Amino acid sequence: MCRLFGMSTGGPRVRAAHWLLDAPRSLRAQSHRMQHGAGLGWFSLGGEPVRDRAPLAAFENADFDLHARNVPSHTFVSHVRDASVGGLTVHNCHPFVMNDRLFAHNGVVKGLDTLKSWLTDVERAHISGETDSELVFACVTAEIRRRGDTTAGIIEAVRRIAAEVPVFALNLLVAEAGRLWALRYPESNELWVLSHRQGGVSGAGEADVPAVVVASEPMDDQPGWRLLEPGELLVVDGLAETSLFPLDPLRYPLRRSDLSVREAASQATAVGEAADHGVPGSVSPAVTVMELRGPEGEPVPVRAPLEPVVLRNGRPSAVGDTSV
């Protein structure tokens, strides 16, 4: 399963190196299991979203390490990718940027042609990749513009998606300068929060400041991590947290058995991976070759175990394209 990370300090500009690189289950450590891409987004002094992303695993990406250790911001969004839709290209890596917002997602959403039909030509022009994630973001962005409010736009876009197309999971992070939205929907994939009231801080040093941290799995052993409820939309404004439950059950829910082999592999949860935590990249010896399509439709071989279904080789040497 792709992994999400978001952090808000409420104003002080900090670095995210602890959570991204140094924590026991940092995003870099998790990237040994999610090797199809990594990205980090933050906000400049002027409040503009900035991001760096690449179709490389975070643990082998020097730029990811460099930015994590050196870029200060009050709001961060980061993602490591386990691809299910779209080729291994930079345009398919998270986080995405539209209209001064950052966005990252994990899950599977079908009916992409239906989603595209909701957008105008101008709204579709923001899309540069092939993923369901970026298309969902375009729908969210369009609804925010129509309603003039970020929270209302997220809710309306997700409600429409949930009512009209098949969905396995729609966990997402949306960030503006100083504000963060985190949605777990439905219960298929986990999403956790470490509130500043429960020990959330920007890092592990003496100069740490209180922070709200959101992640796909607890990144350390602090007892304060809380699993978001299914359907919970957490709104973080600075350090203030508000939980909303505005969504109905999915109309067309997908089960794991409804997913393709590649999609099921990309949605493997931490259950069954616990034994791998001490051995980055370890997998079952039973291996098969699955097919993922590149940007020109060419097959990209990806090795993955049969039991459990967990991605193995995100950058196979059999592919010569330097963008992979």
Side-chain angles (χ1 to χ4, degrees):
M1 180 177 83
C2 298
R3 294 300 196 265
L4 303 173
F5 168 83
M7 185 170 72
S8 173
T9 68
R13 302 183 75 86
V14 299
R15 292 166 177 79
H18 171 70
W19 298 110
L20 297 177
L21 305 176
D22 302 327
R25 289 178 291 280
S26 68
L27 222 60
R28 180 170 62 182
Q30 295 175 42
S31 75
H32 285 272
R33 304 192 304 274
M34 294 87 205
Q35 300 184 13
H36 286 158
L40 173 61
W42 63 92
F43 289 85
S44 71
L45 289 172
E48 297 88 2
V50 184
R51 50 88 192 274
D52 185 78
R53 55 184 182 157
L56 300 171
F59 71 87
E60 59 183 358
N61 186 341
D63 285 342
F64 185 86
D65 188 292
L66 180 69
H67 288 116
R69 294 205 183 279
N70 294 288
V71 170
S73 184
H74 43 57
T75 314
F76 292 92
V77 171
S78 190
H79 182 275
V80 291
R81 185 180 183 220
D82 190 353
S84 60
V85 177
L88 307 186
T89 71
V90 66
H91 297 294
N92 291 328
C93 293
H94 309 221
F96 302 102
V97 173
M98 292 183 195
N99 290 17
D100 294 329
R101 297 181 189 91
L102 295 165
F103 176 92
H105 160 250
N106 78 36
V108 175
V109 177
K110 300 282 196 176
L112 303 191
D113 288 340
T114 298
L115 299 187
K116 289 176 184 177
S117 73
W118 300 347
L119 302 172
T120 67
D121 290 342
V122 172
E123 291 163 347
R124 283 193 294 270
H126 291 287
I127 301 170
S128 59
E130 309 154 288
T131 64
D132 53 345
S133 303
E134 191 177 19
L135 188 50
V136 166
F137 186 26
C139 292
V140 168
T141 299
E143 285 297 339
I144 292 172
R145 181 186 58 79
R146 290 165 192 156
R147 295 178 178 273
D149 179 81
T150 302
T151 301
I154 292 171
I155 291 170
E156 183 56 32
V158 174
R159 279 178 174 167
R160 188 175 186 187
I161 291 168
E164 299 193 32
V165 299
V167 174
F168 175 74
L170 187 52
N171 285 10
L172 57 83
L173 292 177
V174 178
E176 297 174 353
R179 297 204 293 171
L180 187 67
W181 289 259
L183 173 67
R184 180 190 179 202
Y185 185 60
E187 71 281 349
S188 311
N189 293 339
E190 295 183 351
L191 193 60
W192 296 76
V193 60
L194 181 63
S195 169
H196 73 284
R197 297 185 299 271
Q198 300 296 325
V201 292
S202 61
E206 295 180 358
D208 289 333
V209 300
V212 179
V213 182
V214 179
S216 295
E217 61 182 90
M219 304 178 84
D220 62 14
D221 297 323
Q222 293 189 64
W225 287 97
R226 177 179 72 85
L227 179 63
L228 296 186
E229 297 292 331
E232 180 175 355
L233 175 62
L234 178 68
V235 183
V236 182
D237 190 346
L239 289 175
E241 301 172 43
T242 304
S243 288
L244 306 175
F245 295 85
L247 303 172
D248 295 324
L250 295 170
R251 186 174 182 183
Y252 304 107
L254 294 172
R255 300 164 298 176
R256 291 186 187 274
S257 58
D258 297 322
L259 304 179
S260 69
V261 174
R262 178 64 246 145
E263 290 166 343
S266 75
Q267 299 306 301
T269 66
V271 176
E273 295 177 0
D276 297 343
H277 281 161
V279 185
S282 63
V283 294
S284 162
V287 173
T288 188
V289 174
M290 298 183 297
E291 191 172 86
L292 182 69
R293 292 289 175 176
E296 304 299 330
E298 73 278 11
V300 177
V302 178
R303 294 172 60 83
L306 291 172
E307 294 292 335
V309 182
V310 180
L311 178 67
R312 183 177 179 182
N313 239 346
R315 262 180 89 228
S317 58
V319 181
D321 185 347
T322 56
S323 70
V324 175

